[in-house]
Amino acid sequence: MSTVSTRTQAPSGPFTGTAALLRFMLRRDRIRLPAWVLGIGIFVPYFFTAFETLFPSEAELAELSAFTSGPMIGLLGGPGYGLGEDLSYVTFFTAIYVVYFMLAAALMNILLVSRHTRVEEQTGRAELIRANVVGRYAPLTATLIMAVAGNIGVTLVMLGGLLAFEAPASGALLVAAGVGAFGMVFAGVAFVSAQVSEYSRVSSAIAGAVLGGTYVLRAVGDMTGEHGNALSWVTPYAWSQQTRAFVDERWWPLAISAVVSVALILLAYRLSDRRDLGAGLRASRRGRAAAPRWVSNPLTLALRLHRGSVRGWAIGLLIAGLVYGSTTGPFVDSFADMTGTMGEMFTAGPDPVLGYLNTLAVMMVIAVAVFALLSLLRVRAEELDGRAEPVLATAVSKPMWLAGHVVVTAAASVLLLVLACAAMGVTAAASTGDWSLLGELTVAGLVGAPAVLVVVGLVTALYGLSPRLLPVATVLVTFSGLAAFFGEMLDLPPALLAISPWHHTPAVPGAAITAAPLLIQTLVALVLAMIGLAAFRRRDLVTT
């Protein structure tokens, strides 16, 4: 007797499996996504606490009237609504600092979309998933739901933070919704860029370039016209900042963000139909059959891999240095007669110009430390994606391979720091007429380099011991950046301040250079790097 079995075919469609993928993504991001949301939102109470420390009353805040007008605010913050007679804590926060919350929300969305779309295809995991009953649009849709949830989370956390400091409810909701809407616009940008290249790094770079390019357009537009001009409205920044929160509130600019977000997401769905899984709309060029002769050792190979990143950072830091240095003359004129905590912060010491430039030099040190961190995180990608294995299959040892990346990152960090500070010195000297500042700031770049090398050594040690420890370096760099500017103001314990590598750096320009802390920082960096190289020799490679 034979039996006939019938197999029930599961219904399938383009969105089949979305719920299962969403649960999987939520499981993977159960720590990362809440950390992003809370990490962005926590700066709301932080800034308001700092305001109340710097300016115990809103009358003292009004002392900033000289600073909170003119093109400077257009460059740093936005169109500058609410900075005149209506100046208050909430309008000061909204006009100057909300743009940085928008940038953080955009980065969160770019990385989230890249991680769950292009990285999955690049590593081959998407192909395994699609071998099951999973619809063509399921990964995109699940990622979209994740992005929406993340932006709603940012909106709610920011709203709660503003309401906690007694901000008017309608204005607080407008500010928070503006940040969330801005994040959704760049989620849409990231969805489209993920269809272009087969590499996650390239797709993220495209979205990042859009973010940076529109920031420059916004700055030019906001600097050249009162409350911005038509150029400002070309960028997504205006669609959130021109809502005039807490001043003359209007909601309709947010509709532009909503329409553009939907259009970009629909475009991404359409483009996904025009390419194969794992491929991009832009076909990758074939590399040379043989490597150039100069790429014959781990050091030159690392230089070849990092040179594009170094070139991009050099251009960005050069522009930033020129812009920030040019603010020296007008900024110090505004703060020269200022009293209280704010005045002490920027004009402490015998020369307020040098005090201000020291603050800018610390900013450059922190920026270059971020470069060093990201540069060494790329080593992790080389290992994870299996590109390190062919190199290590040759006569190259594991410590030699890692040392090549470390040496290139360290040398590039010093070069970038000196370049950025020298560029700042050129325009600072031009704006004040004191050309000795060029030499002072170039030396400041060299003095700040050992602290950045400590970061290089720390990341090397953590990576060598275990890649799982790398988030510790991210936390340290973030904390050190905050401690450098606000640590003493918030009366942090000396033991916590001592964690920051650049807390021990002489405050140059403006202070005498002492060799001992610089030598100790360099020694610590070398020891940490050696620990990392030795530990990396002993551990196995981790690949997908």
Side-chain angles (χ1 to χ4, degrees), residues 69-81:
S69 61
M72 181 68 69
I73 286 302
L75 171 66
L76 298 177
Y81 290 103

Side-chain angles (χ1 to χ4, degrees), residues 232-253:
S232 306
W233 281 94
V234 173
T235 73
Y237 297 88
W239 308 337
S240 294
Q241 291 185 309
Q242 293 286 351
T243 53
R244 303 176 183 174
F246 304 115
V247 179
D248 180 21
E249 297 170 0
R250 51 185 184 180
W251 284 85
W252 63 263

Side-chain angles (χ1 to χ4, degrees), residues 295-382:
V295 187
S296 59
N297 59 67
L299 184 63
T300 53
L301 175 61
L303 179 61
R304 173 65 182 83
L305 293 174
H306 290 277
R307 68 179 184 182
S309 171
V310 174
R311 187 187 303 124
W313 274 86
I315 294 172
L317 289 173
L318 181 65
I319 295 173
L322 293 172
V323 171
Y324 285 128
S326 67
T327 66
T328 305
F331 196 91
V332 172
D333 287 343
S334 301
F335 277 75
D337 299 327
M338 180 170 289
T339 59
T341 309
M342 198 72 179
E344 294 173 2
M345 176 179 176
F346 286 108
T347 63
D351 192 328
V353 175
L354 298 183
Y356 173 63
L357 290 177
N358 175 251
T359 303
L360 295 183
V362 172
M363 291 174 61
M364 289 302 175
V365 171
I366 296 170
V368 175
V370 172
F371 157 79
L373 174 64
L374 296 178
S375 179
L376 288 174
L377 289 180
R378 178 169 182 174
V379 182
R380 167 64 172 154
E382 291 292 305

Side-chain angles (χ1 to χ4, degrees), residues 157-461:
V157 170
M158 282 202 67
L159 177 62
L162 288 167
L163 293 178
F165 284 87
E166 301 179 349
S170 59
L173 182 59
L174 197 53
V175 170
V179 174
F182 186 82
M184 279 308 303
V185 171
F186 277 91
V189 172
F191 272 115
V192 173
S193 67
Q195 314 305 317
V196 175
S197 172
E198 62 185 86
Y199 297 108
S200 61
R201 183 163 51 86
V202 177
S203 65
S204 297
I206 293 172
V210 174
L211 181 64
T214 52
Y215 183 88
V216 173
L217 291 177
R218 178 212 63 77
V220 174
D222 290 342
M223 289 173 66
T224 54
E226 185 180 6
H227 300 315
N229 57 24
L231 195 58
S232 306
W233 281 94
V234 173
T235 73
Y237 297 88
W239 308 337
S240 294
Q241 291 185 309
Q242 293 286 351
T243 53
R244 303 176 183 174
F246 304 115
V247 179
D248 180 21
E249 297 170 0
R250 51 185 184 180
W251 284 85
W252 63 263
L254 293 183
I256 304 175
S257 297
V259 170
V260 171
S261 301
V262 171
L264 288 171
I265 291 166
L266 292 177
L267 176 63
Y269 275 88
R270 186 72 181 92
L271 293 177
S272 69
D273 290 331
R274 295 177 173 272
R275 66 178 181 86
D276 295 328
L277 184 67
L281 293 172
R282 179 179 177 274
S284 299
R285 293 180 302 172
R286 288 188 174 184
R288 296 180 181 180
R293 179 171 297 178
W294 67 272
V295 187
S296 59
N297 59 67
L299 184 63
T300 53
L301 175 61
L303 179 61
R304 173 65 182 83
L305 293 174
H306 290 277
R307 68 179 184 182
S309 171
V310 174
R311 187 187 303 124
W313 274 86
I315 294 172
L317 289 173
L318 181 65
I319 295 173
L322 293 172
V323 171
Y324 285 128
S326 67
T327 66
T328 305
F331 196 91
V332 172
D333 287 343
S334 301
F335 277 75
D337 299 327
M338 180 170 289
T339 59
T341 309
M342 198 72 179
E344 294 173 2
M345 176 179 176
F346 286 108
T347 63
D351 192 328
V353 175
L354 298 183
Y356 173 63
L357 290 177
N358 175 251
T359 303
L360 295 183
V362 172
M363 291 174 61
M364 289 302 175
V365 171
I366 296 170
V368 175
V370 172
F371 157 79
L373 174 64
L374 296 178
S375 179
L376 288 174
L377 289 180
R378 178 169 182 174
V379 182
R380 167 64 172 154
E382 291 292 305
E383 177 187 353
L384 194 64
D385 295 341
R387 291 190 290 272
E389 284 183 305
V391 179
L392 296 175
T394 65
V396 176
S397 68
K398 290 166 71 176
M400 287 175 60
W401 175 78
L402 179 57
H405 290 278
V406 174
V407 170
V408 168
T409 299
S413 298
V414 176
L415 176 65
L416 290 175
L417 188 53
V418 173
L419 175 69
C421 288
M424 197 161 59
V426 170
T427 48
S431 67
T432 60
D434 182 2
W435 284 95
S436 67
L437 294 179
L438 174 57
E440 296 259 12
L441 281 165
T442 304
V443 172
L446 290 170
V447 170
V452 177
L453 295 181
V454 171
V455 174
V456 173
L458 176 67
V459 179
T460 305

